[in-house]
Amino acid sequence: MPELGARRRLLVLAICCLSLFMVSLDNTVVNLALPSIQHEFDAATSSLQWTIDAYTVVLASLLMLSGSTADRIGRRRVFQSGLAVFTLGSLLCSLAPNVGLLVAFRMVQAIGGSMLNPVAMSIITNVFTEPRERARAIGVWGGVAGVSMALGPVVGGALVSSVGWRSIFWVNVPIGVAGLLLTALFVAESKAPSPRRIDPVGQVLMIVVLGALTYGIIEAPHAAPGVAIGCFVVAALALAAFVPYERRRPEPLIDPRFFTSVPFSGAILVAVCGFAVLAGFLFLNAIYLQEARGFSPLHAGLLTLPTAVGAFAFSLVSGRIIGSRGARPPLMAAGLALIVAGLLLTRLTTDYPLSLLVVAYLVFGIGFGLVNPPITNTAVSGMPLDQAGVAAAVASTSRQVGASLGVAVLGTVVTSQLHGPLAAEFAQASHGAWWIMVGCGVVVLVLGFVTTTPWARRTTFEEAGKVGVRPG
């Protein structure tokens, strides 16, 4: 990629952030529409979980493939293809006549979305080559990711209340078209000097692992015990085959040896925990505020606005802290914030004071805003710069895996405790899910310290030397 001036680099960053905003917003904007979708299609709670997880599972499964493909055939080309497919999928979702087709069209959206975020991050890391400038750009990226995902309920609530749930998909169409035009005009084409080969076997095994695991968790309360157990066995067998197969390949989908780097593995675990609690938080609160508390979609969305404010502001703060003091302060502060928010929500009732609810939402937003930028910065820094697409895809995949598991696990924990009317029992049934959030916060807090020690940093350079990697 040719060297660009400062203004052109910022313009490229803005275009990439536009795609991130659209995809991340769609990741969460659907939550506030779930009760409306349930009422229109008479859908079960498991169908609502699939409306979210069909998107995140497909997205997580294809991010690696999209990142390596972009490195091979051209990042701008793949990025534009993703915008086109995502826009088409959004249009189809807005026309869905039943919940089954809505889930299918969400999968089409995810195919397009898988070509956007990792490729956009690859473009950014190749445009911003100076480490401190790159850290700030990633901070902006993390801020956009945080605010778009947290702002989703607000936008969704406003659209559902004023126009209807189908409008949450209409809004993507003009944004997608604008992104296509701006990319064609201002984003230069780039490729990796030594792109990786496509790994079809590894790709299929990854899809089987994520799909079977998610299906088993979501359907466990409703299906026969043998079905869920069978899904877990299939997922375990696919994972057991995936690791040794990838070790033997000269150019694997992802090199398992990278996970011996403590900071890299820690970043992946932090991403899974952080996005699990975000996705579970947004899914459960959308149902709690509308079904248990009786708020309109707009009112429910406005109540979660403090989450968006905290996420946006503290993502920017986190990016600056990383550039000057490293990842430890924001990660440990994020863990504490998630713990506090989770503890506040473990006392949730149908008449829980709104003041405490807003405080919990704000603290949660602060925690999520702090945790997101260190994930990408650590993952990209621990991988080769000429494989930036793969590096970004690893970080993005871990986020989507976390989001899928968050909705599946936290949603299933709640539904397994429901034995009567949803409105009356939901708050009490959700307590177990909030304790899981507390546990995830503890994991983030501990990893924030352990992965930033001198010992942990040495494992990054030692592993980089074994595989011929120059840390970013």
Side-chain angles (χ1 to χ4, degrees), residues 292-309:
R293 298 296 293 262
F295 293 122
S296 69
L298 176 59
H299 194 177
L302 290 174
L303 279 172
T304 61
L305 186 58
T307 302
V309 173

Side-chain angles (χ1 to χ4, degrees), residues 234-328:
V234 169
L237 291 175
L239 181 61
F242 178 81
V243 174
Y245 176 79
E246 293 297 291
R247 282 184 177 275
R248 291 194 300 269
R249 279 186 62 84
E251 294 181 337
L253 187 68
I254 176 172
D255 194 327
R257 290 176 294 180
F258 281 116
F259 288 93
T260 64
S261 164
V262 173
F264 182 80
S265 295
I268 300 308
L269 289 174
V270 168
V272 171
C273 289
F275 277 74
V277 295
L278 174 70
F281 168 85
L282 294 174
F283 178 79
L284 296 181
N285 273 293
I287 298 174
Y288 167 73
L289 291 173
Q290 293 181 73
E291 298 296 326
R293 298 296 293 262
F295 293 122
S296 69
L298 176 59
H299 194 177
L302 290 174
L303 279 172
T304 61
L305 186 58
T307 302
V309 173
F312 176 70
F314 281 82
S315 286
L316 298 177
V317 170
S318 183
R320 289 185 175 275
I321 294 174
I322 293 168
S324 59
R325 300 184 60 188
R328 177 181 290 182

Side-chain angles (χ1 to χ4, degrees), residues 5-78:
R7 290 186 178 181
R8 183 70 175 270
R9 291 199 300 272
L10 291 175
L11 182 58
V12 171
L13 176 62
I15 294 169
C16 291
C17 286
L18 177 67
S19 73
L20 172 68
F21 184 84
M22 180 174 66
V23 174
S24 298
L25 186 71
D26 202 79
N27 235 345
T28 56
V29 73
V30 178
N31 284 282
L32 260 290
L34 290 177
S36 298
I37 292 172
Q38 183 179 39
H39 295 154
E40 179 170 334
F41 294 140
D42 193 24
T45 302
S46 60
S47 295
L48 301 184
Q49 288 174 276
W50 278 119
T51 302
I52 303 296
D53 270 359
Y55 181 88
T56 54
V57 168
V58 172
L59 200 63
S61 299
L62 298 180
L63 284 170
M64 298 281 197
L65 176 63
S66 297
S68 58
T69 300
D71 285 339
R72 174 174 291 275
I73 70 173
R75 296 172 181 126
R76 185 178 71 174
R77 183 182 302 174
V78 172

Side-chain angles (χ1 to χ4, degrees), residues 105-124:
F105 295 150
R106 288 278 286 165
M107 296 171 74
V108 175
Q109 271 191 307
I111 293 172
S114 72
M115 304 181 207
L116 296 179
N117 286 4
V119 181
M121 178 54 72
S122 177
I123 292 171
I124 290 172

Side-chain angles (χ1 to χ4, degrees), residues 84-169:
V85 174
F86 186 88
T87 302
L88 174 62
S90 298
L91 181 61
L92 292 173
C93 285
S94 71
L95 302 174
N98 56 60
V99 72
L101 283 176
L102 176 61
V103 170
F105 295 150
R106 288 278 286 165
M107 296 171 74
V108 175
Q109 271 191 307
I111 293 172
S114 72
M115 304 181 207
L116 296 179
N117 286 4
V119 181
M121 178 54 72
S122 177
I123 292 171
I124 290 172
T125 54
N126 279 271
V127 168
F128 295 89
T129 54
E130 196 274 320
R132 181 164 293 187
E133 188 182 33
R134 189 199 318 154
R136 291 196 181 101
I138 290 174
V140 173
W141 172 270
V144 172
V147 73
S148 59
M149 294 193 75
L151 196 58
V154 182
V155 176
L159 289 173
V160 172
S161 293
S162 59
V163 185
W165 69 264
R166 296 178 188 274
S167 63
I168 65 176
F169 299 109

Side-chain angles (χ1 to χ4, degrees), residues 323-389:
S324 59
R325 300 184 60 188
R328 177 181 290 182
L331 282 176
M332 296 191 69
L336 286 172
L338 295 177
I339 292 170
V340 171
L343 289 173
L344 287 171
L345 292 172
T346 57
R347 303 175 63 85
L348 203 65
T349 62
T350 52
D351 57 354
Y352 195 65
L354 289 182
S355 58
L356 288 178
L357 197 62
V358 169
V359 169
Y361 289 171
L362 175 61
V363 173
F364 178 84
I366 292 171
F368 179 72
L370 288 168
V371 81
N372 196 28
I375 295 169
T376 302
N377 190 71
T378 303
V380 170
S381 297
M383 297 282 272
L385 290 180
D386 63 355
Q387 300 294 338

